[in-house]
Amino acid sequence: MKNLLGSSLKDLENVALNYGQASFRGRQIHNWIYDYKNKKKDIDQINVLPLVFRKKLIQEGFKINELTLQERSLAEDGTLKLLLNTYDNESIECVGIPTEKRLTACLSSQIGCPMDCKFCATGKEGLKRSLKTSEIIDQILFIEHEMNRRVTNIVFMGMGEPLLNIDELLLSIRSINEDFEISQRKITVSTVAIPKLIDKLSEKSFLILGKCQFTLAISLHASNQIIREMIIPSAKNYNIENIIKDCKRFVKKTGRRVSFEYLMLNGLNDKVEHAEELSSLLKGFQCHVNLIQYNKVSEVEFNQTSLKNLRIFQTRLLNNGIAVSFRQSRGSDKNAACGQLRQNTNLYK
Ligand code: SF4
Protein backbone atom coordinates (compact mmCIF):
# COMPACT_ATOMS: atom_id res chain seq x y z
CA MET A 1 0.00 0.00 0.00
CA LYS A 2 1.30 3.45 -0.90
CA ASN A 3 0.01 5.95 1.61
CA LEU A 4 -0.43 9.49 0.35
CA LEU A 5 -0.52 11.01 3.86
CA GLY A 6 2.67 12.99 4.38
CA SER A 7 3.09 13.58 0.61
CA SER A 8 3.94 17.08 -0.57
CA LEU A 9 1.92 19.03 -3.12
CA LYS A 10 4.65 18.38 -5.69
CA ASP A 11 4.54 14.61 -5.04
CA LEU A 12 0.77 14.58 -5.45
CA GLU A 13 0.93 16.59 -8.66
CA ASN A 14 3.39 14.01 -9.95
CA VAL A 15 1.03 11.19 -8.98
CA ALA A 16 -1.72 12.91 -11.02
CA LEU A 17 0.58 13.44 -14.01
CA ASN A 18 1.78 9.81 -13.86
CA TYR A 19 -1.80 8.64 -14.27
CA GLY A 20 -2.52 10.93 -17.21
CA GLN A 21 -4.35 13.60 -15.19
CA ALA A 22 -3.78 17.35 -15.10
CA SER A 23 -1.47 18.46 -12.26
CA PHE A 24 -4.29 20.42 -10.54
CA ARG A 25 -5.78 17.04 -9.63
CA GLY A 26 -2.77 16.67 -7.33
CA ARG A 27 -3.74 19.93 -5.60
CA GLN A 28 -7.28 18.61 -5.19
CA ILE A 29 -5.94 15.49 -3.46
CA HIS A 30 -3.68 17.68 -1.31
CA ASN A 31 -6.56 19.93 -0.23
CA TRP A 32 -8.68 16.92 0.57
CA ILE A 33 -6.27 14.81 2.57
CA TYR A 34 -5.05 17.67 4.79
CA ASP A 35 -8.56 18.93 5.54
CA TYR A 36 -9.32 17.51 8.99
CA LYS A 37 -13.07 17.72 8.38
CA ASN A 38 -12.78 14.86 5.89
CA LYS A 39 -12.84 11.77 8.09
CA LYS A 40 -13.11 8.86 7.53
CA LYS A 41 -10.63 9.21 4.72
CA ASP A 42 -11.08 7.15 1.65
CA ILE A 43 -9.90 7.82 -1.91
CA ASP A 44 -13.37 6.88 -3.11
CA GLN A 45 -14.78 9.89 -1.24
CA ILE A 46 -12.67 12.53 -3.03
CA ASN A 47 -15.57 13.27 -5.32
CA VAL A 48 -13.91 16.26 -6.99
CA LEU A 49 -11.70 13.70 -8.75
CA PRO A 50 -12.96 11.85 -11.82
CA LEU A 51 -14.32 8.42 -10.88
CA VAL A 52 -11.94 6.68 -13.25
CA PHE A 53 -8.91 8.34 -11.59
CA ARG A 54 -10.13 7.39 -8.10
CA LYS A 55 -10.61 3.79 -9.19
CA LYS A 56 -7.13 3.75 -10.76
CA LEU A 57 -5.52 5.03 -7.54
CA ILE A 58 -7.31 2.39 -5.44
CA GLN A 59 -6.42 -0.33 -7.92
CA GLU A 60 -2.75 0.76 -7.82
CA GLY A 61 -2.75 0.36 -4.03
CA PHE A 62 -2.85 4.00 -2.91
CA LYS A 63 -4.61 4.94 0.32
CA ILE A 64 -5.10 8.07 2.42
CA ASN A 65 -5.97 6.69 5.82
CA GLU A 66 -3.60 5.00 8.21
CA LEU A 67 -4.86 4.72 11.78
CA THR A 68 -8.22 3.87 13.31
CA LEU A 69 -9.68 5.34 16.47
CA GLN A 70 -9.99 2.86 19.32
CA GLU A 71 -10.68 5.07 22.35
CA ARG A 72 -10.93 8.75 23.22
CA SER A 73 -10.52 10.11 26.69
CA LEU A 74 -11.31 13.71 27.63
CA ALA A 75 -9.69 15.13 30.77
CA GLU A 76 -11.34 17.76 32.96
CA ASP A 77 -9.05 20.47 31.62
CA GLY A 78 -10.07 19.75 28.01
CA THR A 79 -6.97 17.69 27.15
CA LEU A 80 -7.93 14.88 24.80
CA LYS A 81 -6.04 11.59 24.61
CA LEU A 82 -6.62 9.29 21.65
CA LEU A 83 -5.78 5.62 21.44
CA LEU A 84 -5.24 4.73 17.79
CA ASN A 85 -4.80 1.37 16.13
CA THR A 86 -2.18 0.71 13.46
CA TYR A 87 -2.45 -1.57 10.41
CA ASP A 88 -0.52 -4.34 12.24
CA ASN A 89 -2.87 -4.30 15.22
CA GLU A 90 -0.60 -2.33 17.53
CA SER A 91 -1.75 0.81 19.28
CA ILE A 92 -0.33 4.25 19.98
CA GLU A 93 -1.49 7.30 21.88
CA CYS A 94 -1.44 10.97 21.03
CA VAL A 95 -2.75 13.97 22.93
CA GLY A 96 -4.40 17.27 22.02
CA ILE A 97 -3.76 20.02 24.55
CA PRO A 98 -5.97 23.06 24.03
CA THR A 99 -5.78 26.62 25.28
CA GLU A 100 -7.87 29.51 24.00
CA LYS A 101 -5.38 30.42 21.30
CA ARG A 102 -3.43 27.21 20.75
CA LEU A 103 -3.96 23.55 20.13
CA THR A 104 -0.79 21.59 20.80
CA ALA A 105 -0.53 18.05 19.45
CA CYS A 106 1.72 15.71 21.42
CA LEU A 107 2.73 13.02 18.91
CA SER A 108 4.23 9.54 19.16
CA SER A 109 7.16 8.61 16.94
CA GLN A 110 7.40 4.90 17.82
CA ILE A 111 5.19 2.07 19.06
CA GLY A 112 6.60 1.63 22.56
CA CYS A 113 10.14 2.75 23.31
CA PRO A 114 13.48 1.01 23.90
CA MET A 115 14.89 3.63 26.31
CA ASP A 116 13.20 2.38 29.49
CA CYS A 117 13.30 5.67 31.42
CA LYS A 118 12.32 4.79 34.97
CA PHE A 119 9.57 7.42 35.34
CA CYS A 120 7.82 6.63 32.04
CA ALA A 121 4.95 4.24 31.29
CA THR A 122 5.81 3.92 27.59
CA GLY A 123 9.28 2.53 28.32
CA LYS A 124 7.83 -0.32 30.40
CA GLU A 125 6.65 -2.17 27.32
CA GLY A 126 9.78 -2.01 25.13
CA LEU A 127 9.89 -1.13 21.46
CA LYS A 128 7.60 -2.72 18.87
CA ARG A 129 8.61 -0.61 15.88
CA SER A 130 9.08 2.93 14.60
CA LEU A 131 6.19 4.78 13.00
CA LYS A 132 6.00 5.73 9.34
CA THR A 133 5.53 9.36 8.31
CA SER A 134 1.92 8.67 7.34
CA GLU A 135 1.23 7.29 10.84
CA ILE A 136 2.74 10.37 12.47
CA ILE A 137 0.77 12.72 10.22
CA ASP A 138 -2.50 10.85 10.75
CA GLN A 139 -2.23 11.55 14.50
CA ILE A 140 -2.48 15.29 13.76
CA LEU A 141 -5.51 14.79 11.54
CA PHE A 142 -7.21 12.69 14.21
CA ILE A 143 -6.61 15.34 16.88
CA GLU A 144 -7.90 18.09 14.58
CA HIS A 145 -10.94 16.06 13.58
CA GLU A 146 -11.83 15.03 17.13
CA MET A 147 -11.31 18.55 18.54
CA ASN A 148 -12.77 20.28 15.49
CA ARG A 149 -10.01 22.87 15.17
CA ARG A 150 -6.58 23.22 13.64
CA VAL A 151 -3.45 22.21 15.49
CA THR A 152 -1.10 25.20 15.99
CA ASN A 153 1.87 23.62 17.78
CA ILE A 154 3.52 20.22 17.71
CA VAL A 155 5.59 18.45 20.36
CA PHE A 156 7.25 15.10 19.72
CA MET A 157 6.89 14.08 23.36
CA GLY A 158 4.55 11.11 23.02
CA MET A 159 5.58 7.49 22.81
CA GLY A 160 9.06 6.70 21.54
CA GLU A 161 12.47 8.27 21.10
CA PRO A 162 12.21 10.51 18.00
CA LEU A 163 15.95 10.45 17.27
CA LEU A 164 15.74 6.69 16.72
CA ASN A 165 13.33 7.41 13.86
CA ILE A 166 15.11 10.42 12.44
CA ASP A 167 14.24 10.13 8.73
CA GLU A 168 10.51 9.68 9.30
CA LEU A 169 10.64 12.43 11.94
CA LEU A 170 12.14 14.91 9.48
CA LEU A 171 9.77 13.91 6.68
CA SER A 172 6.92 14.51 9.12
CA ILE A 173 8.33 17.92 10.02
CA ARG A 174 8.42 18.76 6.32
CA SER A 175 4.76 17.86 6.00
CA ILE A 176 3.78 19.71 9.21
CA ASN A 177 5.61 22.78 7.99
CA GLU A 178 4.44 22.80 4.35
CA ASP A 179 1.17 20.85 4.24
CA PHE A 180 -0.23 22.02 7.60
CA GLU A 181 1.49 25.42 7.40
CA ILE A 182 2.82 25.17 10.94
CA SER A 183 6.14 26.95 11.22
CA GLN A 184 9.18 24.92 12.32
CA ARG A 185 9.48 27.31 15.26
CA LYS A 186 6.24 25.90 16.65
CA ILE A 187 7.59 22.34 16.60
CA THR A 188 9.53 20.77 19.49
CA VAL A 189 11.52 17.54 19.24
CA SER A 190 12.15 15.97 22.62
CA THR A 191 14.92 13.42 23.18
CA VAL A 192 16.69 11.70 26.07
CA ALA A 193 19.82 12.24 23.95
CA ILE A 194 21.69 9.50 22.13
CA PRO A 195 25.41 9.73 21.26
CA LYS A 196 26.09 11.30 17.84
CA LEU A 197 22.40 11.80 17.05
CA ILE A 198 22.13 15.46 18.08
CA ASP A 199 24.69 16.30 15.39
CA LYS A 200 22.99 13.97 12.94
CA LEU A 201 19.62 15.64 13.59
CA SER A 202 20.82 19.12 12.63
CA GLU A 203 22.88 17.83 9.68
CA LYS A 204 20.00 15.81 8.24
CA SER A 205 17.55 18.63 8.90
CA PHE A 206 19.63 21.04 6.82
CA LEU A 207 20.01 18.37 4.14
CA ILE A 208 16.35 17.27 3.93
CA LEU A 209 14.52 20.46 4.99
CA GLY A 210 17.06 23.14 4.11
CA LYS A 211 16.76 24.53 7.65
CA CYS A 212 16.71 23.51 11.28
CA GLN A 213 14.47 25.87 13.21
CA PHE A 214 12.48 23.56 15.46
CA THR A 215 13.21 23.49 19.17
CA LEU A 216 15.39 20.70 20.51
CA ALA A 217 14.29 19.68 24.00
CA ILE A 218 16.65 17.43 25.96
CA SER A 219 15.10 15.30 28.70
CA LEU A 220 17.90 15.98 31.15
CA HIS A 221 16.10 15.38 34.47
CA ALA A 222 19.31 15.44 36.51
CA SER A 223 22.07 17.80 37.50
CA ASN A 224 24.80 15.15 37.42
CA GLN A 225 25.69 11.86 35.75
CA ILE A 226 24.99 9.66 38.79
CA ILE A 227 21.40 10.79 39.26
CA ARG A 228 20.79 10.75 35.51
CA GLU A 229 21.82 7.09 35.26
CA MET A 230 19.44 6.24 38.09
CA ILE A 231 16.53 7.68 36.13
CA ILE A 232 17.55 6.97 32.53
CA PRO A 233 19.42 3.65 32.05
CA SER A 234 20.70 4.62 28.57
CA ALA A 235 22.48 7.63 30.13
CA LYS A 236 25.46 5.42 30.97
CA ASN A 237 26.45 5.59 27.28
CA TYR A 238 26.40 9.38 27.11
CA ASN A 239 28.05 11.53 29.74
CA ILE A 240 26.04 14.59 30.81
CA GLU A 241 29.01 16.90 30.04
CA ASN A 242 29.16 15.54 26.50
CA ILE A 243 25.44 16.13 26.05
CA ILE A 244 25.94 19.79 26.96
CA LYS A 245 28.90 20.05 24.54
CA ASP A 246 26.78 18.59 21.73
CA CYS A 247 23.91 20.95 22.58
CA LYS A 248 26.24 23.94 22.44
CA ARG A 249 27.28 22.83 18.96
CA PHE A 250 23.59 22.50 18.00
CA VAL A 251 22.98 26.10 19.12
CA LYS A 252 25.99 27.30 17.15
CA LYS A 253 24.88 25.52 13.97
CA THR A 254 21.19 26.40 14.12
CA GLY A 255 20.99 29.64 16.11
CA ARG A 256 18.19 28.04 18.16
CA ARG A 257 18.42 27.81 21.92
CA VAL A 258 18.07 24.34 23.45
CA SER A 259 15.42 23.54 26.00
CA PHE A 260 16.20 21.22 28.95
CA GLU A 261 13.32 19.26 30.43
CA TYR A 262 13.72 18.63 34.16
CA LEU A 263 11.28 16.31 35.86
CA MET A 264 11.11 17.16 39.55
CA LEU A 265 11.35 13.98 41.64
CA ASN A 266 10.87 14.30 45.36
CA GLY A 267 14.11 13.87 47.31
CA LEU A 268 16.08 12.72 44.28
CA ASN A 269 16.87 15.74 42.09
CA ASP A 270 14.85 18.60 43.58
CA LYS A 271 17.09 20.05 46.31
CA VAL A 272 18.78 23.46 46.31
CA GLU A 273 22.18 21.76 45.83
CA HIS A 274 20.84 20.23 42.59
CA ALA A 275 19.66 23.66 41.42
CA GLU A 276 23.19 24.98 42.04
CA GLU A 277 24.78 22.05 40.21
CA LEU A 278 22.41 22.45 37.25
CA SER A 279 23.17 26.19 37.12
CA SER A 280 26.92 25.48 36.85
CA LEU A 281 26.35 22.87 34.15
CA LEU A 282 24.29 25.24 31.98
CA LYS A 283 26.07 28.51 32.71
CA GLY A 284 26.87 30.85 29.79
CA PHE A 285 24.82 28.77 27.44
CA GLN A 286 21.84 29.84 25.32
CA CYS A 287 19.27 27.55 26.85
CA HIS A 288 16.07 27.30 28.80
CA VAL A 289 15.02 24.94 31.58
CA ASN A 290 11.50 23.57 31.75
CA LEU A 291 10.58 22.24 35.19
CA ILE A 292 7.94 19.52 35.04
CA GLN A 293 5.91 18.02 37.85
CA TYR A 294 6.08 14.23 37.96
CA ASN A 295 2.88 12.42 36.98
CA LYS A 296 2.25 9.20 38.83
CA VAL A 297 2.75 5.98 36.86
CA SER A 298 1.26 2.97 38.64
CA GLU A 299 4.30 0.64 38.64
CA VAL A 300 6.89 3.30 39.53
CA GLU A 301 8.08 4.43 42.97
CA PHE A 302 8.89 8.12 42.38
CA ASN A 303 6.96 10.87 44.13
CA GLN A 304 5.95 14.36 43.18
CA THR A 305 7.94 17.34 44.47
CA SER A 306 5.87 19.84 46.44
CA LEU A 307 4.95 23.07 44.70
CA LYS A 308 6.87 24.94 47.40
CA ASN A 309 10.13 23.05 46.67
CA LEU A 310 9.59 23.47 42.97
CA ARG A 311 9.32 27.26 43.40
CA ILE A 312 12.50 27.33 45.56
CA PHE A 313 14.35 25.36 42.86
CA GLN A 314 13.04 27.67 40.14
CA THR A 315 14.04 30.82 42.04
CA ARG A 316 17.55 29.48 42.60
CA LEU A 317 18.00 28.88 38.85
CA LEU A 318 16.62 32.34 38.07
CA ASN A 319 18.97 33.98 40.57
CA ASN A 320 21.84 32.17 38.86
CA GLY A 321 20.85 33.67 35.50
CA ILE A 322 19.27 30.53 34.03
CA ALA A 323 16.05 31.03 32.01
CA VAL A 324 13.47 28.75 33.56
CA SER A 325 9.76 28.07 33.45
CA PHE A 326 7.40 25.63 35.09
CA ARG A 327 5.23 23.55 32.81
CA GLN A 328 1.84 22.74 34.27
CA SER A 329 0.82 19.15 33.62
CA ARG A 330 -2.28 18.72 31.53
CA GLY A 331 -4.63 15.77 31.34
CA SER A 332 -3.16 13.77 34.24
CA ASP A 333 -6.62 12.62 35.42
CA LYS A 334 -6.83 10.64 32.16
CA ASN A 335 -3.19 9.49 32.14
CA ALA A 336 -2.57 11.86 29.24
CA ALA A 337 0.25 13.81 30.86
CA CYS A 338 4.01 13.55 30.33
CA GLY A 339 5.36 10.04 30.84
CA GLN A 340 1.92 8.47 31.15
CA LEU A 341 1.34 7.33 27.58
CA ARG A 342 1.38 3.62 26.93
CA GLN A 343 0.13 0.84 24.70
CA ASN A 344 -1.58 -1.21 27.34
CA THR A 345 -5.26 -0.70 26.66
CA ASN A 346 -6.30 -2.48 29.88
CA LEU A 347 -4.83 0.42 31.80
CA TYR A 348 -6.36 2.96 29.49
CA LYS A 349 -9.52 4.07 31.26
S1 SF4 B 1 10.56 9.20 28.44
FE1 SF4 B 1 10.60 9.13 26.19
S2 SF4 B 1 12.56 8.13 25.73
FE2 SF4 B 1 12.14 7.67 27.89
S3 SF4 B 1 11.07 5.67 27.86
FE3 SF4 B 1 9.50 7.30 27.83
S4 SF4 B 1 9.04 7.59 25.66
FE4 SF4 B 1 11.00 6.52 25.77
Side-chain angles (χ1 to χ4, degrees), residues 110 112-124 157-162 190-192 219 221 232 339:
Q110 296 185 304
C113 183
M115 305 310 287
D116 194 25
C117 300
K118 294 299 169 209
F119 52 83
C120 174
T122 306
K124 303 282 155 258
M157 291 185 178
M159 294 164 65
E161 165 50 63
S190 173
T191 173
V192 289
S219 298
H221 307 321
I232 304 171

Side-chain angles (χ1 to χ4, degrees), residues 16 25 89 92 102 115 128 152 171 184 188 203 212 268 277 281 295 320 340:
R25 296 293 183 198
N89 220 16
I92 53 167
R102 290 179 177 195
M115 305 310 287
K128 296 277 168 52
T152 59
L171 291 174
Q184 271 202 21
T188 298
E203 280 157 21
C212 183
L268 185 64
E277 201 172 28
L281 193 69
N295 299 301
N320 288 335
Q340 292 185 315

Side-chain angles (χ1 to χ4, degrees), residues 81 125 298-299 335 342 344-349:
K81 182 171 76 163
E125 293 151 41
S298 50
E299 57 278 63
N335 288 340
R342 63 171 81 233
N344 189 337
T345 52
N346 295 331
L347 292 161
Y348 190 70
K349 286 175 185 167

Side-chain angles (χ1 to χ4, degrees), residues 36-269:
Y36 67 89
K37 292 189 177 118
N38 296 329
K39 273 279 174 189
K40 152 160 199 306
K41 288 186 180 289
D42 197 330
I43 287 180
D44 225 15
Q45 293 174 347
I46 315 180
N47 43 27
V48 287
L49 297 180
L51 189 61
V52 62
F53 182 34
R54 281 183 263 162
K55 291 220 172 322
K56 187 73 188 162
L57 289 174
I58 294 165
Q59 197 185 329
E60 292 289 319
F62 287 102
K63 62 173 187 169
I64 53 173
N65 60 339
E66 188 60 78
L67 306 165
T68 50
L69 180 62
Q70 192 179 332
E71 291 269 1
R72 49 172 284 151
S73 189
L74 186 64
E76 276 171 17
D77 62 9
T79 298
L80 180 71
K81 182 171 76 163
L82 300 177
L83 181 70
L84 301 166
N85 267 11
T86 59
Y87 69 90
D88 49 357
N89 220 16
E90 299 292 348
S91 49
I92 53 167
E93 293 187 321
C94 62
V95 183
I97 308 152
T99 63
E100 205 186 318
K101 292 195 176 145
R102 290 179 177 195
L103 174 56
T104 301
C106 177
L107 305 181
S108 293
S109 55
Q110 296 185 304
I111 302 175
C113 183
M115 305 310 287
D116 194 25
C117 300
K118 294 299 169 209
F119 52 83
C120 174
T122 306
K124 303 282 155 258
E125 293 151 41
L127 174 70
K128 296 277 168 52
R129 67 171 171 86
S130 290
L131 293 175
K132 300 178 290 169
T133 304
S134 49
E135 292 171 308
I136 296 173
I137 294 303
D138 212 11
Q139 294 174 57
I140 305 173
L141 289 165
F142 263 103
I143 289 171
E144 290 188 336
H145 185 71
E146 292 297 317
M147 299 185 89
N148 196 27
R149 61 189 275 203
R150 296 244 69 152
V151 162
T152 59
N153 295 65
I154 301 279
V155 293
F156 283 92
M157 291 185 178
M159 294 164 65
E161 165 50 63
L163 298 200
L164 293 177
N165 192 14
I166 224 164
D167 289 339
E168 303 292 319
L169 169 77
L170 291 173
L171 291 174
S172 303
I173 290 178
R174 186 220 58 76
S175 178
I176 292 164
N177 187 206
E178 293 175 14
D179 306 322
F180 290 82
E181 298 178 350
I182 297 172
S183 124
Q184 271 202 21
R185 289 171 186 272
K186 293 185 173 172
I187 302 171
T188 298
V189 175
S190 173
T191 173
V192 289
I194 296 166
K196 298 194 172 67
L197 293 189
I198 293 175
D199 276 337
K200 192 169 171 189
L201 179 68
S202 57
E203 280 157 21
K204 281 207 153 191
S205 180
F206 282 117
L207 201 69
I208 295 174
L209 309 175
K211 56 187 176 183
C212 183
Q213 293 178 340
F214 49 82
T215 300
L216 176 67
I218 305 287
S219 298
L220 199 66
H221 307 321
S223 55
N224 63 51
Q225 183 64 15
I226 295 168
I227 298 178
R228 196 158 194 269
E229 284 184 30
M230 287 164 69
I231 307 170
I232 304 171
S234 64
K236 63 180 181 305
N237 303 318
Y238 200 2
N239 189 281
I240 199 164
E241 309 278 349
N242 290 335
I243 294 177
I244 304 303
K245 265 192 221 155
D246 291 351
C247 287
K248 286 181 178 169
R249 208 161 45 247
F250 184 90
V251 172
K252 218 171 177 181
K253 283 200 275 187
T254 64
R256 301 280 295 156
R257 78 177 178 179
V258 171
S259 179
F260 290 99
E261 307 291 305
Y262 197 98
L263 187 65
M264 300 289 287
L265 299 169
N266 186 33
L268 185 64
N269 65 359

